[in-house]
Amino acid sequence: MKQKQTTPAEETEDKRPNETPDEESSDGEPSDGESSDGLKEAGESMLSHLMALRKVLLISAAAVLIGFVLVFYLAIDPLMAQILAPIQARGIQVIFTTMSEALVTKFKVALLAGMIIASPVVIWEIWGFIKPALYPQEKRKFRLLFVLALLLFLTGVVFCYFAVYSLATPMLSIDKYVSFLFGFLVPFGVAFQLPVVLYLTTRVGLTTPDMLRSKRKYVILAIFVLAAILTPPDVVSQVALGLPMC
């Protein structure tokens, strides 16, 4: 029986590997495998960011806790004496209205003082988290804005303490007095951040100088409404907070 003769061209075609339909198309679109790899890399990147954020939160919370414990067990009595000194100098004696009021008030003061003590650690951790995402010029602007925001916050606190706080007459309860004191100082410090906020919103395009000028009366109204919310219910403190922001 005769065997079929094959030509060299047929042998070459027989040896050619079969093409798979999963290969990348000629128009340059990625295959399903490449798409899944991209999604996997994006998921891993998101997970790494979440783990870094978790580390920042844990270290910050631990720093605040350590600061709270140190203040509460080592410096709470001198700190309370310093806080009560201005009101006692005016001849007003604060009292405790409940058995737990003194302890709760000391907890509040120690927690706030612990946050202040831990603030360098917290700021350092936050800076380490966002620093890789910034360009060199953005890092310089961020440092400048941080220093400016800190100075404005301290200016607001000092302004409140010396120019506004002396006009108010706090209640006799120590818990009410401490809440009253912090309720004055912190809002004034936050309110003095308005120039930094306006600069940032202008940089990202949310506001423009022309828009702020055209909406000035609405902005002033919003400022005084915010001042009424942040301050105790009296006209003097509301006006004292609203005027610097205008």
Side-chain angles (χ1 to χ4, degrees), residues 119-146:
S119 60
V121 177
V122 176
I123 294 171
W124 179 262
E125 289 297 322
I126 295 175
W127 172 246
F129 180 74
I130 66 175
K131 183 179 178 181
L134 300 177
Y135 293 106
Q137 62 272 18
E138 292 176 338
K139 294 177 183 179
R140 291 191 294 268
K141 290 180 180 179
F142 183 87
R143 296 190 188 100
L144 179 61
L145 286 176
F146 172 75

PDB file of all heavy atoms in Angstrom, residues 119-146:
ATOM      1  N   SER A 119      -0.016  65.871  70.432  1.00  0.00           N
ATOM      2  CA  SER A 119      -0.192  66.468  69.103  1.00  0.00           C
ATOM      3  C   SER A 119       1.058  66.392  68.225  1.00  0.00           C
ATOM      4  O   SER A 119       0.930  66.167  67.013  1.00  0.00           O
ATOM      5  CB  SER A 119      -0.660  67.919  69.243  1.00  0.00           C
ATOM      6  OG  SER A 119       0.277  68.693  69.967  1.00  0.00           O
ATOM      7  N   PRO A 120       2.292  66.560  68.748  1.00  0.00           N
ATOM      8  CA  PRO A 120       3.453  66.389  67.860  1.00  0.00           C
ATOM      9  C   PRO A 120       3.533  64.994  67.246  1.00  0.00           C
ATOM     10  O   PRO A 120       3.868  64.850  66.062  1.00  0.00           O
ATOM     11  CB  PRO A 120       4.650  66.667  68.784  1.00  0.00           C
ATOM     12  CG  PRO A 120       4.105  67.530  69.862  1.00  0.00           C
ATOM     13  CD  PRO A 120       2.711  67.048  70.082  1.00  0.00           C
ATOM     14  N   VAL A 121       3.229  63.970  68.039  1.00  0.00           N
ATOM     15  CA  VAL A 121       3.250  62.595  67.506  1.00  0.00           C
ATOM     16  C   VAL A 121       2.153  62.412  66.466  1.00  0.00           C
ATOM     17  O   VAL A 121       2.369  61.832  65.393  1.00  0.00           O
ATOM     18  CB  VAL A 121       3.086  61.578  68.653  1.00  0.00           C
ATOM     19  CG1 VAL A 121       3.035  60.153  68.098  1.00  0.00           C
ATOM     20  CG2 VAL A 121       4.212  61.721  69.661  1.00  0.00           C
ATOM     21  N   VAL A 122       0.960  62.927  66.763  1.00  0.00           N
ATOM     22  CA  VAL A 122      -0.164  62.790  65.828  1.00  0.00           C
ATOM     23  C   VAL A 122       0.135  63.513  64.514  1.00  0.00           C
ATOM     24  O   VAL A 122      -0.081  62.971  63.415  1.00  0.00           O
ATOM     25  CB  VAL A 122      -1.452  63.336  66.472  1.00  0.00           C
ATOM     26  CG1 VAL A 122      -2.603  63.299  65.474  1.00  0.00           C
ATOM     27  CG2 VAL A 122      -1.811  62.530  67.717  1.00  0.00           C
ATOM     28  N   ILE A 123       0.647  64.730  64.617  1.00  0.00           N
ATOM     29  CA  ILE A 123       0.965  65.503  63.409  1.00  0.00           C
ATOM     30  C   ILE A 123       2.062  64.808  62.608  1.00  0.00           C
ATOM     31  O   ILE A 123       2.011  64.751  61.371  1.00  0.00           O
ATOM     32  CB  ILE A 123       1.377  66.932  63.800  1.00  0.00           C
ATOM     33  CG1 ILE A 123       0.179  67.669  64.405  1.00  0.00           C
ATOM     34  CG2 ILE A 123       1.919  67.692  62.594  1.00  0.00           C
ATOM     35  CD1 ILE A 123       0.532  69.000  65.014  1.00  0.00           C
ATOM     36  N   TRP A 124       3.054  64.273  63.287  1.00  0.00           N
ATOM     37  CA  TRP A 124       4.143  63.568  62.597  1.00  0.00           C
ATOM     38  C   TRP A 124       3.619  62.337  61.859  1.00  0.00           C
ATOM     39  O   TRP A 124       4.029  62.065  60.734  1.00  0.00           O
ATOM     40  CB  TRP A 124       5.218  63.184  63.589  1.00  0.00           C
ATOM     41  CG  TRP A 124       6.370  62.425  62.976  1.00  0.00           C
ATOM     42  CD1 TRP A 124       6.560  61.072  62.969  1.00  0.00           C
ATOM     43  CD2 TRP A 124       7.457  62.984  62.251  1.00  0.00           C
ATOM     44  NE1 TRP A 124       7.713  60.758  62.304  1.00  0.00           N
ATOM     45  CE2 TRP A 124       8.291  61.915  61.842  1.00  0.00           C
ATOM     46  CE3 TRP A 124       7.817  64.292  61.914  1.00  0.00           C
ATOM     47  CZ2 TRP A 124       9.444  62.115  61.114  1.00  0.00           C
ATOM     48  CZ3 TRP A 124       8.983  64.490  61.177  1.00  0.00           C
ATOM     49  CH2 TRP A 124       9.785  63.406  60.787  1.00  0.00           C
ATOM     50  N   GLU A 125       2.713  61.593  62.479  1.00  0.00           N
ATOM     51  CA  GLU A 125       2.160  60.403  61.832  1.00  0.00           C
ATOM     52  C   GLU A 125       1.295  60.785  60.626  1.00  0.00           C
ATOM     53  O   GLU A 125       1.354  60.128  59.573  1.00  0.00           O
ATOM     54  CB  GLU A 125       1.319  59.607  62.839  1.00  0.00           C
ATOM     55  CG  GLU A 125       2.140  58.910  63.909  1.00  0.00           C
ATOM     56  CD  GLU A 125       3.076  57.867  63.338  1.00  0.00           C
ATOM     57  OE1 GLU A 125       2.674  57.176  62.387  1.00  0.00           O
ATOM     58  OE2 GLU A 125       4.208  57.747  63.840  1.00  0.00           O
ATOM     59  N   ILE A 126       0.486  61.829  60.772  1.00  0.00           N
ATOM     60  CA  ILE A 126      -0.340  62.273  59.645  1.00  0.00           C
ATOM     61  C   ILE A 126       0.544  62.767  58.499  1.00  0.00           C
ATOM     62  O   ILE A 126       0.284  62.481  57.327  1.00  0.00           O
ATOM     63  CB  ILE A 126      -1.317  63.371  60.100  1.00  0.00           C
ATOM     64  CG1 ILE A 126      -2.308  62.794  61.113  1.00  0.00           C
ATOM     65  CG2 ILE A 126      -2.066  63.963  58.913  1.00  0.00           C
ATOM     66  CD1 ILE A 126      -3.238  63.828  61.712  1.00  0.00           C
ATOM     67  N   TRP A 127       1.590  63.495  58.843  1.00  0.00           N
ATOM     68  CA  TRP A 127       2.512  63.979  57.815  1.00  0.00           C
ATOM     69  C   TRP A 127       3.190  62.820  57.099  1.00  0.00           C
ATOM     70  O   TRP A 127       3.349  62.842  55.878  1.00  0.00           O
ATOM     71  CB  TRP A 127       3.540  64.910  58.445  1.00  0.00           C
ATOM     72  CG  TRP A 127       4.641  65.324  57.520  1.00  0.00           C
ATOM     73  CD1 TRP A 127       5.954  65.008  57.624  1.00  0.00           C
ATOM     74  CD2 TRP A 127       4.536  66.142  56.350  1.00  0.00           C
ATOM     75  NE1 TRP A 127       6.678  65.568  56.606  1.00  0.00           N
ATOM     76  CE2 TRP A 127       5.835  66.273  55.797  1.00  0.00           C
ATOM     77  CE3 TRP A 127       3.470  66.774  55.711  1.00  0.00           C
ATOM     78  CZ2 TRP A 127       6.079  67.000  54.650  1.00  0.00           C
ATOM     79  CZ3 TRP A 127       3.716  67.507  54.554  1.00  0.00           C
ATOM     80  CH2 TRP A 127       5.004  67.623  54.035  1.00  0.00           C
ATOM     81  N   GLY A 128       3.610  61.813  57.843  1.00  0.00           N
ATOM     82  CA  GLY A 128       4.220  60.648  57.216  1.00  0.00           C
ATOM     83  C   GLY A 128       3.262  59.895  56.311  1.00  0.00           C
ATOM     84  O   GLY A 128       3.686  59.263  55.342  1.00  0.00           O
ATOM     85  N   PHE A 129       1.961  59.974  56.592  1.00  0.00           N
ATOM     86  CA  PHE A 129       0.966  59.276  55.774  1.00  0.00           C
ATOM     87  C   PHE A 129       0.710  59.990  54.454  1.00  0.00           C
ATOM     88  O   PHE A 129       0.562  59.356  53.401  1.00  0.00           O
ATOM     89  CB  PHE A 129      -0.339  59.131  56.568  1.00  0.00           C
ATOM     90  CG  PHE A 129      -1.428  58.434  55.818  1.00  0.00           C
ATOM     91  CD1 PHE A 129      -1.398  57.066  55.614  1.00  0.00           C
ATOM     92  CD2 PHE A 129      -2.497  59.157  55.308  1.00  0.00           C
ATOM     93  CE1 PHE A 129      -2.406  56.417  54.912  1.00  0.00           C
ATOM     94  CE2 PHE A 129      -3.519  58.522  54.619  1.00  0.00           C
ATOM     95  CZ  PHE A 129      -3.468  57.151  54.419  1.00  0.00           C
ATOM     96  N   ILE A 130       0.627  61.332  54.491  1.00  0.00           N
ATOM     97  CA  ILE A 130       0.282  62.074  53.273  1.00  0.00           C
ATOM     98  C   ILE A 130       1.506  62.550  52.495  1.00  0.00           C
ATOM     99  O   ILE A 130       1.376  62.920  51.319  1.00  0.00           O
ATOM    100  CB  ILE A 130      -0.603  63.288  53.610  1.00  0.00           C
ATOM    101  CG1 ILE A 130       0.177  64.308  54.450  1.00  0.00           C
ATOM    102  CG2 ILE A 130      -1.861  62.848  54.321  1.00  0.00           C
ATOM    103  CD1 ILE A 130      -0.596  65.571  54.718  1.00  0.00           C
ATOM    104  N   LYS A 131       2.681  62.525  53.107  1.00  0.00           N
ATOM    105  CA  LYS A 131       3.881  63.047  52.452  1.00  0.00           C
ATOM    106  C   LYS A 131       4.204  62.345  51.139  1.00  0.00           C
ATOM    107  O   LYS A 131       4.558  63.029  50.158  1.00  0.00           O
ATOM    108  CB  LYS A 131       5.069  62.950  53.416  1.00  0.00           C
ATOM    109  CG  LYS A 131       6.368  63.521  52.866  1.00  0.00           C
ATOM    110  CD  LYS A 131       7.484  63.408  53.897  1.00  0.00           C
ATOM    111  CE  LYS A 131       8.792  63.942  53.342  1.00  0.00           C
ATOM    112  NZ  LYS A 131       9.897  63.823  54.343  1.00  0.00           N
ATOM    113  N   PRO A 132       4.114  61.006  51.024  1.00  0.00           N
ATOM    114  CA  PRO A 132       4.465  60.369  49.747  1.00  0.00           C
ATOM    115  C   PRO A 132       3.591  60.790  48.583  1.00  0.00           C
ATOM    116  O   PRO A 132       3.995  60.646  47.423  1.00  0.00           O
ATOM    117  CB  PRO A 132       4.291  58.865  50.050  1.00  0.00           C
ATOM    118  CG  PRO A 132       4.449  58.760  51.525  1.00  0.00           C
ATOM    119  CD  PRO A 132       3.847  60.005  52.076  1.00  0.00           C
ATOM    120  N   ALA A 133       2.388  61.309  48.846  1.00  0.00           N
ATOM    121  CA  ALA A 133       1.475  61.683  47.763  1.00  0.00           C
ATOM    122  C   ALA A 133       1.654  63.126  47.307  1.00  0.00           C
ATOM    123  O   ALA A 133       0.952  63.561  46.391  1.00  0.00           O
ATOM    124  CB  ALA A 133       0.028  61.472  48.212  1.00  0.00           C
ATOM    125  N   LEU A 134       2.580  63.869  47.905  1.00  0.00           N
ATOM    126  CA  LEU A 134       2.752  65.282  47.586  1.00  0.00           C
ATOM    127  C   LEU A 134       3.998  65.498  46.734  1.00  0.00           C
ATOM    128  O   LEU A 134       5.005  64.798  46.884  1.00  0.00           O
ATOM    129  CB  LEU A 134       2.865  66.109  48.871  1.00  0.00           C
ATOM    130  CG  LEU A 134       1.667  66.060  49.829  1.00  0.00           C
ATOM    131  CD1 LEU A 134       1.964  66.875  51.082  1.00  0.00           C
ATOM    132  CD2 LEU A 134       0.401  66.566  49.150  1.00  0.00           C
ATOM    133  N   TYR A 135       3.894  66.480  45.841  1.00  0.00           N
ATOM    134  CA  TYR A 135       5.058  66.920  45.082  1.00  0.00           C
ATOM    135  C   TYR A 135       5.934  67.814  45.972  1.00  0.00           C
ATOM    136  O   TYR A 135       5.476  68.325  46.987  1.00  0.00           O
ATOM    137  CB  TYR A 135       4.617  67.683  43.836  1.00  0.00           C
ATOM    138  CG  TYR A 135       3.919  66.832  42.821  1.00  0.00           C
ATOM    139  CD1 TYR A 135       2.547  66.916  42.634  1.00  0.00           C
ATOM    140  CD2 TYR A 135       4.634  65.923  42.029  1.00  0.00           C
ATOM    141  CE1 TYR A 135       1.893  66.132  41.701  1.00  0.00           C
ATOM    142  CE2 TYR A 135       3.997  65.129  41.088  1.00  0.00           C
ATOM    143  CZ  TYR A 135       2.630  65.242  40.924  1.00  0.00           C
ATOM    144  OH  TYR A 135       1.992  64.451  40.010  1.00  0.00           O
ATOM    145  N   PRO A 136       7.200  68.033  45.601  1.00  0.00           N
ATOM    146  CA  PRO A 136       8.078  68.861  46.445  1.00  0.00           C
ATOM    147  C   PRO A 136       7.526  70.256  46.719  1.00  0.00           C
ATOM    148  O   PRO A 136       7.592  70.746  47.853  1.00  0.00           O
ATOM    149  CB  PRO A 136       9.383  68.919  45.632  1.00  0.00           C
ATOM    150  CG  PRO A 136       9.373  67.652  44.835  1.00  0.00           C
ATOM    151  CD  PRO A 136       7.937  67.399  44.493  1.00  0.00           C
ATOM    152  N   GLN A 137       6.938  70.914  45.686  1.00  0.00           N
ATOM    153  CA  GLN A 137       6.389  72.253  45.918  1.00  0.00           C
ATOM    154  C   GLN A 137       5.166  72.195  46.823  1.00  0.00           C
ATOM    155  O   GLN A 137       4.911  73.127  47.610  1.00  0.00           O
ATOM    156  CB  GLN A 137       6.035  72.931  44.591  1.00  0.00           C
ATOM    157  CG  GLN A 137       4.975  72.229  43.773  1.00  0.00           C
ATOM    158  CD  GLN A 137       5.547  71.180  42.842  1.00  0.00           C
ATOM    159  OE1 GLN A 137       6.690  70.759  43.046  1.00  0.00           O
ATOM    160  NE2 GLN A 137       4.801  70.792  41.836  1.00  0.00           N
ATOM    161  N   GLU A 138       4.385  71.112  46.746  1.00  0.00           N
ATOM    162  CA  GLU A 138       3.229  70.960  47.625  1.00  0.00           C
ATOM    163  C   GLU A 138       3.667  70.725  49.069  1.00  0.00           C
ATOM    164  O   GLU A 138       2.994  71.175  49.998  1.00  0.00           O
ATOM    165  CB  GLU A 138       2.359  69.797  47.137  1.00  0.00           C
ATOM    166  CG  GLU A 138       1.676  70.057  45.815  1.00  0.00           C
ATOM    167  CD  GLU A 138       0.911  68.863  45.299  1.00  0.00           C
ATOM    168  OE1 GLU A 138       1.230  67.731  45.708  1.00  0.00           O
ATOM    169  OE2 GLU A 138      -0.014  69.050  44.486  1.00  0.00           O
ATOM    170  N   LYS A 139       4.775  70.027  49.260  1.00  0.00           N
ATOM    171  CA  LYS A 139       5.290  69.821  50.616  1.00  0.00           C
ATOM    172  C   LYS A 139       5.685  71.148  51.256  1.00  0.00           C
ATOM    173  O   LYS A 139       5.396  71.384  52.430  1.00  0.00           O
ATOM    174  CB  LYS A 139       6.490  68.869  50.573  1.00  0.00           C
ATOM    175  CG  LYS A 139       6.146  67.458  50.134  1.00  0.00           C
ATOM    176  CD  LYS A 139       7.393  66.597  50.055  1.00  0.00           C
ATOM    177  CE  LYS A 139       7.056  65.199  49.554  1.00  0.00           C
ATOM    178  NZ  LYS A 139       8.254  64.339  49.434  1.00  0.00           N
ATOM    179  N   ARG A 140       6.320  72.023  50.483  1.00  0.00           N
ATOM    180  CA  ARG A 140       6.701  73.330  51.025  1.00  0.00           C
ATOM    181  C   ARG A 140       5.475  74.157  51.386  1.00  0.00           C
ATOM    182  O   ARG A 140       5.434  74.800  52.438  1.00  0.00           O
ATOM    183  CB  ARG A 140       7.572  74.070  50.010  1.00  0.00           C
ATOM    184  CG  ARG A 140       8.958  73.456  49.817  1.00  0.00           C
ATOM    185  CD  ARG A 140       9.849  74.379  49.030  1.00  0.00           C
ATOM    186  NE  ARG A 140       9.369  74.546  47.662  1.00  0.00           N
ATOM    187  CZ  ARG A 140       9.750  73.794  46.639  1.00  0.00           C
ATOM    188  NH1 ARG A 140      10.629  72.814  46.833  1.00  0.00           N
ATOM    189  NH2 ARG A 140       9.281  74.011  45.436  1.00  0.00           N
ATOM    190  N   LYS A 141       4.454  74.146  50.525  1.00  0.00           N
ATOM    191  CA  LYS A 141       3.229  74.901  50.812  1.00  0.00           C
ATOM    192  C   LYS A 141       2.506  74.320  52.023  1.00  0.00           C
ATOM    193  O   LYS A 141       1.936  75.064  52.830  1.00  0.00           O
ATOM    194  CB  LYS A 141       2.311  74.878  49.597  1.00  0.00           C
ATOM    195  CG  LYS A 141       2.828  75.695  48.420  1.00  0.00           C
ATOM    196  CD  LYS A 141       1.866  75.641  47.248  1.00  0.00           C
ATOM    197  CE  LYS A 141       2.383  76.467  46.080  1.00  0.00           C
ATOM    198  NZ  LYS A 141       1.462  76.404  44.919  1.00  0.00           N
ATOM    199  N   PHE A 142       2.530  72.994  52.156  1.00  0.00           N
ATOM    200  CA  PHE A 142       1.859  72.370  53.293  1.00  0.00           C
ATOM    201  C   PHE A 142       2.530  72.781  54.599  1.00  0.00           C
ATOM    202  O   PHE A 142       1.843  73.076  55.579  1.00  0.00           O
ATOM    203  CB  PHE A 142       1.889  70.846  53.136  1.00  0.00           C
ATOM    204  CG  PHE A 142       1.158  70.121  54.231  1.00  0.00           C
ATOM    205  CD1 PHE A 142      -0.196  69.879  54.134  1.00  0.00           C
ATOM    206  CD2 PHE A 142       1.831  69.678  55.366  1.00  0.00           C
ATOM    207  CE1 PHE A 142      -0.870  69.215  55.137  1.00  0.00           C
ATOM    208  CE2 PHE A 142       1.172  69.023  56.373  1.00  0.00           C
ATOM    209  CZ  PHE A 142      -0.189  68.780  56.252  1.00  0.00           C
ATOM    210  N   ARG A 143       3.859  72.801  54.626  1.00  0.00           N
ATOM    211  CA  ARG A 143       4.568  73.229  55.841  1.00  0.00           C
ATOM    212  C   ARG A 143       4.220  74.670  56.190  1.00  0.00           C
ATOM    213  O   ARG A 143       3.981  75.001  57.361  1.00  0.00           O
ATOM    214  CB  ARG A 143       6.073  73.071  55.646  1.00  0.00           C
ATOM    215  CG  ARG A 143       6.547  71.630  55.455  1.00  0.00           C
ATOM    216  CD  ARG A 143       8.059  71.564  55.516  1.00  0.00           C
ATOM    217  NE  ARG A 143       8.560  70.238  55.162  1.00  0.00           N
ATOM    218  CZ  ARG A 143       9.049  69.929  53.956  1.00  0.00           C
ATOM    219  NH1 ARG A 143       9.111  70.856  53.009  1.00  0.00           N
ATOM    220  NH2 ARG A 143       9.467  68.707  53.694  1.00  0.00           N
ATOM    221  N   LEU A 144       4.186  75.542  55.174  1.00  0.00           N
ATOM    222  CA  LEU A 144       3.869  76.947  55.420  1.00  0.00           C
ATOM    223  C   LEU A 144       2.439  77.098  55.934  1.00  0.00           C
ATOM    224  O   LEU A 144       2.190  77.854  56.890  1.00  0.00           O
ATOM    225  CB  LEU A 144       4.057  77.746  54.125  1.00  0.00           C
ATOM    226  CG  LEU A 144       3.734  79.242  54.200  1.00  0.00           C
ATOM    227  CD1 LEU A 144       4.639  79.923  55.212  1.00  0.00           C
ATOM    228  CD2 LEU A 144       3.881  79.888  52.828  1.00  0.00           C
ATOM    229  N   LEU A 145       1.496  76.372  55.326  1.00  0.00           N
ATOM    230  CA  LEU A 145       0.108  76.460  55.770  1.00  0.00           C
ATOM    231  C   LEU A 145      -0.065  75.909  57.181  1.00  0.00           C
ATOM    232  O   LEU A 145      -0.867  76.430  57.965  1.00  0.00           O
ATOM    233  CB  LEU A 145      -0.797  75.702  54.794  1.00  0.00           C
ATOM    234  CG  LEU A 145      -1.048  76.371  53.446  1.00  0.00           C
ATOM    235  CD1 LEU A 145      -1.881  75.463  52.552  1.00  0.00           C
ATOM    236  CD2 LEU A 145      -1.748  77.708  53.626  1.00  0.00           C
ATOM    237  N   PHE A 146       0.677  74.872  57.506  1.00  0.00           N
ATOM    238  CA  PHE A 146       0.565  74.307  58.856  1.00  0.00           C
ATOM    239  C   PHE A 146       1.038  75.311  59.901  1.00  0.00           C
ATOM    240  O   PHE A 146       0.385  75.516  60.932  1.00  0.00           O
ATOM    241  CB  PHE A 146       1.386  73.023  58.949  1.00  0.00           C
ATOM    242  CG  PHE A 146       1.474  72.477  60.344  1.00  0.00           C
ATOM    243  CD1 PHE A 146       0.389  71.832  60.915  1.00  0.00           C
ATOM    244  CD2 PHE A 146       2.628  72.632  61.093  1.00  0.00           C
ATOM    245  CE1 PHE A 146       0.449  71.341  62.201  1.00  0.00           C
ATOM    246  CE2 PHE A 146       2.703  72.139  62.379  1.00  0.00           C
ATOM    247  CZ  PHE A 146       1.610  71.497  62.934  1.00  0.00           C
TER     248      PHE A 146
END
